[in-house]
Amino acid sequence: MQRVTIIGLGLIGGSIGLGLRRWASDGGKRPATLEVIGFDIDLAHQQYAKKIHAVDRTVWRLSEALEQGDLIILATPVSTFPELFHAIADHAREGTVVTDTASTKAAVLNWAKTILPPTIPFVGGHPMAGKTQSIEGADADLFQGATWCVSPLVTASETAIQTVLGLISALGAEPLFIDPEEHDSYVAAISHVPFLLAVGLMHTVSQDPAWRDIRKLTASGFRDATRLAGGSPEMYRDICATNSQQIVRWLDRTITELSHLRDLIAQNTEEAQQELHQLFVSVRDARAEWATQERRPGELTQQTANELASLSLGQQMQQMFLGSLFRRPRVDTRQSRQPPSQRRDDERAAEERS
């Protein structure tokens, strides 16, 4: 029997447990070949995980959890990783595969390379899915159709990589091999900066003396724009600490864009209004293309089906038309799905041939 140990039973850890246990049982059609073991320093999380059957059992000591796992999944705040890697080096068996779900990858892989022995392979991971809830929001379908970033250490064996790919497949996600530095830059733009924008807006408005009256007028626009501000403060603090350079780079670009918008609005001339209008049209069209892109025919890549369903028929046709009109030609992604080490070898070989 294979044992999967999940360290950290919040939203992600709990959802992984639910998904794995459902996959393992397959409605009772499969024999019991997988056991999910859970550990969390918050005993209430352990108890809730057992209550919703996200784990088969929990253990009280971290060392015991690490000793028993054939696959160890780290689903804790990234600041805990150095300590966890030391514990894994001391207690995990040789050949145990270790992966994670952290939102930053370069720092994590550097810690793993420095701390873990070569007999314990590490394959970095990051599921691009989540909510602003903890274990109470755990969902076996959380990762269905989601992109799951994969960044192995160059020393990770093919067997270790295939083990993590099997985990991703069991949870219904789509693996994407990506360089850790590229990953950190990309997620800074599309995940970390949006959180900081939500924080900035929520703080600005809620600190205004008129907030008590302003909040009576809030509706879906404010709710959607500030949703990420309800996320885990510890998680985002650690993200900012481990991805500061990339976050600052994208923040600077965003601040420049906001300053430009501010200047156009302040000018309030006919020319400025025309430039604003053109910018709004361009951004609307870019989002329409994003919202209507398809992973497969009839299957939207983004979870925007409900958003599109709320539009009128004419608006839906406009969105779909814009999405098709501006959709870029399909790019061969086979190279991007290769581990970074293999991709570098292929590039070197191509240079030698030329």
Side-chain angles (χ1 to χ4, degrees):
M1 177 178 290
Q2 296 293 306
R3 291 185 173 89
V4 175
T5 293
I6 302 174
I7 307 298
L9 298 173
L11 171 70
I12 300 298
S15 297
I16 290 174
L18 287 172
L20 284 179
R21 296 194 75 238
R22 182 177 66 182
W23 174 85
S25 65
D26 192 22
K29 298 177 183 177
R30 288 191 182 125
T33 59
L34 181 72
E35 182 182 28
V36 179
I37 303 167
F39 174 84
D40 197 292
I41 59 173
D42 188 332
L43 297 185
H45 281 202
Q46 289 206 33
Q47 293 169 355
Y48 194 85
K50 287 192 292 186
K51 177 182 178 180
I52 63 174
H53 306 294
V55 294
D56 292 294
R57 60 187 176 92
T58 59
V59 294
W60 298 102
R61 292 185 297 113
L62 174 62
S63 59
E64 183 181 354
L66 299 176
E67 290 165 357
Q68 298 183 35
D70 299 301
L71 170 64
I72 296 173
I73 303 171
L74 305 182
T76 60
V78 71
S79 62
T80 65
F81 279 28
E83 181 181 353
L84 287 173
F85 283 144
H86 281 294
I88 291 169
D90 291 338
H91 298 288
R93 293 176 281 109
E94 289 189 5
T96 299
V97 179
V98 181
T99 188
D100 76 307
T101 63
S103 297
T104 56
K105 292 271 73 72
V108 170
L109 264 74
N110 186 55
W111 290 330
K113 178 182 178 181
T114 303
I115 300 171
L116 292 180
T119 54
I120 299 178
F122 179 77
V123 181
H126 178 207
M128 301 302 295
K131 307 175 185 177
T132 55
Q133 298 168 289
S134 186
I135 181 67
E136 70 277 0
D139 182 357
D141 291 320
L142 183 65
F143 310 108
Q144 287 291 326
T147 297
W148 195 300
C149 298
V150 182
S151 299
L153 277 181
V154 294
T155 55
S157 64
E158 182 64 24
T159 299
I161 294 172
Q162 290 301 322
T163 296
V164 174
L165 293 179
L167 163 71
I168 295 169
S169 176
L171 296 173
E174 303 273 352
L176 175 67
F177 285 97
I178 186 169
D179 178 85
E181 297 287 350
E182 289 181 348
H183 168 277
D184 287 0
S185 175
Y186 299 165
V187 297
I190 54 93
S191 179
H192 305 161
V193 167
F195 165 76
L196 293 170
L197 290 174
V199 167
L201 175 59
M202 189 71 229
H203 188 259
T204 297
V205 178
S206 65
Q207 295 303 303
D208 191 272
W211 170 238
R212 182 182 295 273
D213 294 323
I214 292 173
R215 64 185 182 182
K216 297 175 183 178
L217 307 179
T218 56
S220 59
F222 184 78
R223 181 192 66 219
D224 294 344
T226 59
R227 180 183 64 83
L228 291 176
S232 165
E234 293 77 17
M235 179 183 72
Y236 280 108
R237 176 203 62 202
D238 292 351
I239 285 172
C240 291
T242 56
N243 200 26
S244 62
Q245 184 177 354
Q246 298 294 352
I247 292 174
V248 167
R249 183 170 72 88
W250 283 102
L251 268 179
D252 285 344
R253 293 179 63 178
T254 304
I255 290 169
T256 298
E257 186 69 23
L258 288 173
S259 295
H260 178 57
L261 288 170
R262 180 224 174 266
D263 290 344
L264 290 175
I265 294 169
Q267 291 171 24
N268 201 23
T269 63
E270 184 176 347
E271 292 78 11
Q273 291 175 10
Q274 182 61 30
E275 185 175 344
L276 274 174
H277 181 264
Q278 291 173 351
L279 178 59
F280 295 157
V281 169
S282 174
V283 170
R284 181 202 62 188
D285 293 350
R287 193 179 190 284
E289 178 191 7
W290 169 82
T292 56
Q293 63 183 324
E294 295 178 334
R295 178 178 290 109
R296 302 176 187 88
E299 180 183 340
L300 294 175
T301 302
Q302 308 299 329
Q303 297 180 358
T304 51
N306 291 338
E307 177 182 321
L308 296 176
S310 66
L311 301 176
S312 68
L313 178 60
Q315 289 172 318
Q316 287 187 45
M317 293 301 294
Q318 182 187 44
Q319 294 272 42
M320 295 302 293
F321 171 73
L322 288 169
S324 299
L325 180 63
F326 293 102
R327 187 175 296 134
R328 297 178 178 85
R330 185 179 298 275
V331 177
D332 186 353
T333 59
R334 288 175 295 178
Q335 185 182 33
S336 66
R337 288 177 178 268
Q338 292 177 323
S341 59
Q342 180 64 49
R343 193 159 71 242
R344 288 192 292 268
D345 291 343
D346 289 350
E347 292 170 352
R348 191 178 301 114
E351 292 175 356
E352 291 173 354
R353 287 196 299 270
S354 62

